[in-house]
Every structure is written in C-alpha cells, then in structure tokens.
C-alpha cells in the first residue's frame, strides 16, 4: 500500500455489498468490525459468517464476491497461511469513522466514478439506464447498466447523491466532490502494468460480465506483508461482552442467560436495565432516564441454536400486553437473526423493532469507541419490522460523534503549528475555519462548531485557551496538558458513576407529566 493509503490500482469493475441501496457503507463497516473482533479469522470463516449474516445460502460464490470487493478496495488482505487481516486503511476507517477516504478511494481507484457523478449533476436526474446511454461510448466495456447502477448506489451511500423517483440527483456534498476531484479524471491509459504484490492472489469470481475477473491493473512497485499491520485485537471487557451477546443468542437451552446479557448490554449503553423475566412479564425493561425526554422499552430476547428466529416463536399479543403493563414507548426483539415474510409483517403491525444479536454487539463496541447519548440510541427502537436499520442509524450517529471528537485536537494542533511558524497574535474563529478547510480540502466543521469548540477550550474548567476578544483566542496550554486535564476530569466522572445513589423504583412510571 502506498504511503497515502492508495492501493495504486485502477479498477474497471465494482460490485455492490449487502444491505440494499444506500446501505453499502454500513455493511462495509460491519464486515471490517467483524474481522477486527476475531482473534484468528480465515477466509472460510469470513465466508461462513457472511452467508449467515446476509442470508446468502450455502454457496460460497456470492460471499467470495463480497470479500473480493472489500479486499480490492484496500481494506482486507488474505495471507499465505489463510488468515484474513485488516489493512492500515481499514484500521483507520474503523478508528475515525470518516467516510471521506472511502469516497476518495472510489474516485481515485474506481474507473468512471467521477464521470458518473458529473453526469448526474449535468443531467439533473439520472439512473443506470440513462447513464448507459449518456456514457456508453466512453466506457464501451460496460455492456449493461450494472456498473453504472452500482456506482450510483455507492455514491448514494456516501451522501453524494440523493434518491428521487426515477433516479438520483446530486447533493451539496456531491457538488463539493466534483470540485475536489475535478483534476483526477481517469488515467487508465497511462498505467503501466508491473508484477503483482506478494499477497496471496484472490481467485477470480465469475458472477457476471461485470465481475472482478482481471479488471485490476497494478500501478506501482511490489508491496510486502509488513505494509499491512495485523488485526488489532482489543481483548477487554467490551470485547468479552460483545462476544457473550453473540454466543448467548445461539444457546437456546439457556434463555435466561441471553436475557441477562441483554440487560448487561443496555446497562453498558447507559440505560437503567432490569431483568424481569418470569411468567407474564417482559424479559428486560430498559429506561432512558432523561427527565422530560425519558423513554422506555420492553425487550424480548429470543435465542436459537439454529441462528434464526421464526414468526411462531414470538408471541406478539404478549409483547403488546407487556408494553402496556410497563407504560413503555417501544417494543424491541433481540435474536440471532429473523426470518422474513410474516414475521416482518407482524412486527410492523405490533410496532416492534427488531435487532440482531450481532448488531447489538456492534452497538456495544461502537459505544466503547464513540460513546453515544441516550437520544442517539433511541434509533434502536424506532424502526418497526426493519432489522437492517437500527445499526445503520446508530453508525451514522457515531460517525457524527467521531467527527466532532476530532474538532478539539484539530483546533489545538492548529494553534500549536501557527505559533511554531511565527504567528504571535490571537487567532479568530474565521481564520480557524479557513485553515481547517484548507488542510482537509473541504469544510469539515461549520463556523458555529468551531466557535463552540473555542468556547469550550477557553472555559475555566478546561483553560486551554484564553479569550482575547469576542472572536479571537490565544493558546495557554500545550495539547498534551489539555489531554491530561480531560483524563483527570474523566476519572472524576467515572468515579461518580460508580458511586451508589438512592435506588429508584423504575417499575413505576417516573416520567414527568407532559400534559
């Protein structure tokens, strides 16, 4: 892999990922998260997990295609001993949740992506068929609309286009991408083939005429296995909890064990969670104690050694009774996975949300890296009969949290760098906004967000900046000292969280009267 993270290849073909239109990014993150969670993942293990997670059937062909796509996007590598590892690019994506590098890779390394986005902007509205007509002569090797459609769906997943009736229209983010990548038009004709890297080659997949078979041309010198670090494994309490969620969901002989781990998971997420169980009661009752914004949900845990729960295993009338009994706002069912058809229809009729055990484990791991508010986590309960949506929506919230978490370090680094190059006076919010936009190549933060960050850093509790005027600030503490101050504050908060408080009878409706 090149120093900038590029794979140094130009691909003629691309493939979709599971999850449907607009969900490719969430699926990419889920696949990488699963690989990261394994101590020793092999290609067959990954195929087996994908077949179960995405209902792919028993054949390996489709799972192989998904693996090939993620590998050729530069996120996975297969080693000679059969293990699958995350590349540096994948580790960075999981750590930052910044989607810009994903778009950057598609623009630079996937032939035609820029041209398709430009055509959508030029035509006003476009779909695969109209793009085949518009760009067919430019890309004669695409004889169907498939490659156009799949690029549209990736761009939609990344927010560059928006879906409308009959096609897609460009968004403000897409217009910014056109400006940013205007000089990066395809240079496929100038690429000189060289020897492939020493990584184990991925076998070609014969899915269609637009498969990945021989579509990639290496563009620079060979790489070594050392260019991609091994999987980062964090074996701490969070990882153990995530693994217990997944394993308990498959232990049909110990239903209460699954209920207890569900309660533990929601406690970790910040809810007041009570294991009720027993005849005539819900399995777990979770409450987001937020004063006027308080909400409550009953949670029904369904374990199954077969890895899937059918409609006959869920008593929808009982769930409605439990919701009424506890004056809850939501119903949530957690299971290894769910059958389709009647189960989804009845979940919609009952207004019950569905969450797989793998997705709950993913939320737990996500909360550990980018702690989410109880308002953010309300997304888990809001999509009746749509099990694919809760994790995706929480991932979107987490990506926003991760973006804002980078704001304070970016502000402090800008101050330190400016002082090193000779700036002596205070720095205003307008100047910071311009500097950070220049450094990122786009406006990552709004001016209001930068002002809020400056105000926080200048508050007496932090004391990193000194407010010189209404809009200008001066640095008075190095970034390492600011980090230590936040660490000290974090210790105080965690100690307070561990200090017992007077118990509250959460089985009663303690929410304020909103009438």
């Amino acid at each position: 892999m090149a120093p900038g993270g590029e794979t140094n290849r130009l691909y003629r073909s691309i493939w979709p990922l599971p999850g449907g239109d607009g969900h490719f990014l969430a699926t990419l993150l889920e696949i990488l998260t699963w690989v990261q969670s394994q101590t020793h993942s092999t290609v067959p293990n990954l195929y087996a997990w994908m077949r179960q997670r995405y209902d792919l059937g028993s054949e390996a062909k489709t799972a192989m295609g998904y693996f090939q796509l993620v590998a050729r996007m530069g996120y996975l590598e297969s080693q000679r001993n059969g293990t699958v590892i995350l590349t540096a690019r994948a580790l960075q994506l999981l750590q930052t949740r910044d989607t810009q590098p994903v778009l950057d890779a598609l623009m630079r390394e996937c032939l035609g992506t820029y041209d398709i986005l430009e055509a959508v902007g030029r035509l006003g509205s476009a779909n695969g068929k109209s793009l085949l007509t518009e760009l067919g002569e430019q890309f004669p090797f695409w004889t169907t609309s498939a490659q156009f459609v799949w690029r549209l769906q990736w761009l939609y997943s990344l927010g560059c286009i928006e879906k409308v009736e009959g096609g897609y229209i460009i968004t403000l983010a897409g217009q910014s991408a056109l400006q940013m990548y205007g000089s990066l038009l395809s240079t496929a004709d100038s690429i000189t083939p060289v020897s492939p890297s020493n990584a184990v080659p991925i076998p070609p997949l014969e899915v269609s005429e637009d498969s990945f078979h021989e579509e990639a041309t290496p563009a620079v010198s060979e790489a070594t296995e050392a260019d991609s670090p091994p999987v980062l494994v964090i074996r701490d309490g969070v990882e153990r909890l995530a693994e217990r969620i997944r394993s308990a969901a498959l232990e049909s002989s110990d239903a209460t064990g699954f209920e207890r781990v569900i309660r533990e998971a929601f406690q970790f997420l910040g809810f007041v969670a009570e294991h009720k169980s027993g005849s005539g009661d819900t399995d777990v009752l979770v409450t987001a104690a937020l004063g006027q914004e308080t909400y409550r949900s009953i949670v029904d845990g369904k374990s199954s050694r077969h890895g899937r729960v059918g409609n006959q295993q869920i008593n929808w009338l009982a769930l409605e009774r439990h919701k009424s009994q506890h004056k809850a706002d939501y119903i949530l069912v957690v299971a290894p996975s769910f059958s389709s058809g009647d189960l989804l229809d009845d979940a919609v009729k009952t207004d019950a949300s569905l969450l797989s055990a793998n997705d709950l484990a993913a939320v737990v791991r996500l909360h550990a890296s980018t702690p989410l508010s109880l308002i953010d986590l309300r997304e888990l309960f809001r999509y009746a009969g749509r099990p694919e949506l809760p994790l995706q929506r929480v991932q979107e919230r987490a990506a926003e949290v991760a973006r804002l978490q980078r704001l304070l370090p970016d502000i402090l680094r800008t101050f330190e760098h400016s002082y090193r190059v000779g700036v002596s006076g205070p720095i205003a919010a307008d100047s910071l906004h311009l500097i950070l936009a220049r450094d990122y190549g786009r406006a990552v933060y709004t001016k209001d967000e930068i002002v809020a960050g400056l105000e926080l850093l200048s508050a007496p509790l932090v004391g990193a900046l000194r407010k010189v005027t209404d809009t200008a600030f001066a640095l008075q503490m190095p970034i390492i000292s600011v980090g230590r101050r936040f660490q000290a504050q974090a210790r105080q908060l965690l100690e307070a969280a561990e200090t017992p408080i007077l118990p509250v009878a959460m089985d009663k409706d303690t929410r304020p009267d909103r009438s």
Side-chain angles (χ1 to χ4, degrees), residues 15 61 64-65 68 203-213:
W15 225 41
K61 180 184 291 186
M64 184 189 300
Q68 285 185 347
L205 172 70
E206 297 178 0
V207 178
S208 69
E209 66 175 73
D210 291 311
S211 73
F212 284 119
H213 185 55

Side-chain angles (χ1 to χ4, degrees), residues 13 108 113 116 268 353:
S13 297
R108 294 174 183 270
T113 305
I116 288 172
F268 175 76
S353 295

